[in-house]
Every structure is written in C-alpha cells, then in structure tokens.
Amino acid sequence: MFNLILFGPPGSGKGTQSERLISKYGLKHLSTGDLLRSEIARETPLGLAVKNLMAKGELVPDEIVIEMINSAIDNNPAANGFLFDGFPRTNAQAEALDKLLSQKNTEISIVLALQVSDKELVSRLVKRGQTSERIDDRNEDIILARLAEYNKKTAAVADHYKKYDKVKYIKGEGNIDDIFERLSDEIDKKKEPRFT
Ligand code: AP5
Ligand code: MG
C-alpha cells in the first residue's frame, strides 16, 4: 500500500491537489474536513456537535476525527492506499494514525508538505469566501483563527514524521499544474527509487 499525507495550512491547496493525485495514483481520498462537512449537511448528531467549532475555525476533538478515520479505513478494505487530507492535525492524531496503519501491516509512505505564505493563504480563502458555502470562509477573522490553530497545534505534526525522514516540502504557490508535477515527482521517486 502507498499511504500519503498531504500536509499544509488552510488554503494551501490540499483539496485541489488531492483530486488530481487520487486519480493519477488510484488512492482513496480521506479528508476529515469533507467528512465533517457531510455530517453537518446531513444534520447528524456528530454534525451538530462539531458545527460551532468548525464555524469558529477551531479544531474538533481528536477522538471524533480518529474514530471517523478508523471507520473510513475499515470501510475500504480493497484500497491500494490512502491519501490523508487535513489529517492528522495534532500529534495525538498522528500517533493514533500510525497505530491504526500498523494494525493493518502498513504505514505512512510519505508526507508532502505544501508551503504557502500567510499572505497568499488569506488572500485565497477570502476570495473563495465571496462565493463558497463554507462556514469557515465567511470572514477574515475566522480565516485568521484557522491559521492560528494550525500554527499552534498542527505545524508540529511535520516534526513527528521528520523523525522518520518522511517529510518532503513542496512549494505550493504558483501554477496548479506545476505544483501537481512537483508532488508527483516526489511520489514517483518514493515509489520507484533509482539507485545510482
Ligand atoms: P479542512 O476542510 O481540512 O480545511 P482547511 O485545512 O482549513 O483547508 P481548506 O480545505 O480550506 O484548504 P485546502 O488546503 O484544502 O486548499 P484548497 O484546495 O481548498 O478543515 C476544516 C475544519 O474542519 C477545521 O478548521 C476543523 O474545524 C475541522 N477539521 C478537519 N479535519 C480535522 C482534524 N483532523 N482534526 C480536528 N479538526 C478537523 O484551496 C483553497 C483555495 O485556494 C481554493 O479556492 C482553491 O481554488 C485555491 N487554490 C488552490 N491552489 C491554488 C494555487 N496554486 N493558486 C491559487 N489558488 C489556489
Ligand atoms: Mg481542503
């Protein structure tokens, strides 16, 4: 199995690039943000429980997302590999994910970390907020709260995977096709290492 974490701050292009990567590499896309938004849209008890936190740009509790990912992995026994988007977002989530994967005799193959300046992130999300339905794009204060939450709790997740030498940094600004190519190059190198 090839399991990839697409890592990066809010607005760095995780969703945009995930769509392309899953189709090129045949991976199952697991986005905790998309799963939570679907719970909210269906007005499930879980959706109602997380809606206010998401609307404020805060993370939802670890137990909730870990359980969602656990079920999603179990529900896809035939997957060739998973692309995790927006997960793990805390060190506790990273440790839980490592454990879940090791129980399936697999592991994270690579962490691709998109790097985008704060100025560009805010500008992308404010722009999307003018037309999107996302409750967390409604105004700049919420967008800044999401970035603060990322810096406080999520950025350190890269250090967890750096310990195992799994992190590759990718410039996430500029043309979407060029970013996709940079991501693909790292995946190809990892999948078929060339010995010189
Ligand atoms: P989540 O859904 O994961 O959102 P996010 O990380 O805040 O980021 P986005 O989805 O907005 O951005 P993205 O990186 O996917 O970029 P995108 O491709 O959309 O999480 C939402 C909330 O759910 C969290 O705040 C939290 O409350 C909760 N949650 C989710 N997972 C959780 C977890 N594990 N633990 C706890 N809570 C969790 O692109 C953004 C915009 O930029 C788009 O308009 C796009 O068209 C544009 N764009 C993309 N690439 C480019 C480019 N190269 N140039 C110009 N524009 C571009
Ligand atoms: Mg996204």
Side-chain angles (χ1 to χ4, degrees):
M1 276 182 113
F2 191 86
N3 300 306
L4 154 68
I5 295 175
L6 192 53
F7 189 74
S12 56
K14 302 183 296 295
T16 305
Q17 297 294 338
S18 289
E19 293 305 327
R20 295 167 172 232
L21 291 169
I22 55 164
S23 102
K24 178 165 181 184
Y25 293 101
L27 302 172
K28 173 73 189 167
H29 186 197
L30 294 184
S31 156
T32 40
D34 288 350
L35 293 168
L36 290 166
R37 279 184 287 279
S38 150
E39 298 281 343
I40 293 175
R42 287 181 287 124
E43 298 184 334
T44 63
L46 196 156
L48 295 173
V50 300
K51 188 171 177 183
N52 285 339
L53 285 170
M54 281 181 77
K56 285 192 281 183
E58 292 175 22
L59 294 189
V60 311
D62 287 337
E63 309 77 67
I64 292 183
V65 285
I66 292 167
E67 182 46 39
M68 275 187 352
I69 287 289
N70 187 13
S71 314
I73 292 175
D74 278 347
N75 290 337
N76 287 283
N80 287 326
F82 295 100
L83 187 165
F84 298 96
D85 160 3
F87 181 92
R89 253 175 153 103
T90 63
N91 275 325
Q93 292 179 24
E95 278 158 25
L97 178 62
D98 291 350
K99 211 163 159 187
L100 284 176
L101 293 176
S102 90
Q103 283 162 3
K104 312 264 173 214
N105 295 317
T106 182
E107 62 178 357
I108 290 298
S109 312
I110 194 168
V111 178
L112 297 175
L114 291 166
Q115 292 187 299
V116 177
S117 72
D118 283 1
K119 189 169 166 244
E120 169 76 8
L121 295 172
V122 174
S123 134
R124 287 183 188 177
L125 295 176
V126 166
K127 187 171 161 213
R128 187 176 64 187
Q130 290 160 2
T131 52
S132 88
E133 304 275 293
R134 276 189 50 164
I135 47 176
D136 53 354
D137 281 347
R138 270 176 312 160
N139 64 51
E140 195 166 330
D141 285 346
I142 304 172
I143 291 167
L144 291 174
R146 286 159 63 195
L147 287 184
E149 195 78 333
Y150 173 84
N151 289 321
K152 193 165 135 202
K153 300 178 183 164
T154 306
V157 170
D159 299 331
H160 172 86
Y161 289 103
K162 265 193 231 165
K163 284 187 287 193
Y164 309 105
D165 203 18
K166 293 190 174 180
V167 183
K168 297 286 174 200
Y169 288 95
I170 306 288
K171 183 176 161 231
E173 292 191 28
N175 184 289
I176 290 175
D177 290 335
D178 293 344
I179 299 167
F180 179 62
E181 207 162 296
R182 293 197 276 276
L183 292 164
S184 297
D185 281 350
E186 290 297 342
I187 295 173
D188 295 342
K189 269 195 259 171
K190 184 79 195 176
K191 283 181 104 118
E192 287 169 36
R194 277 183 206 97
F195 299 101
T196 49

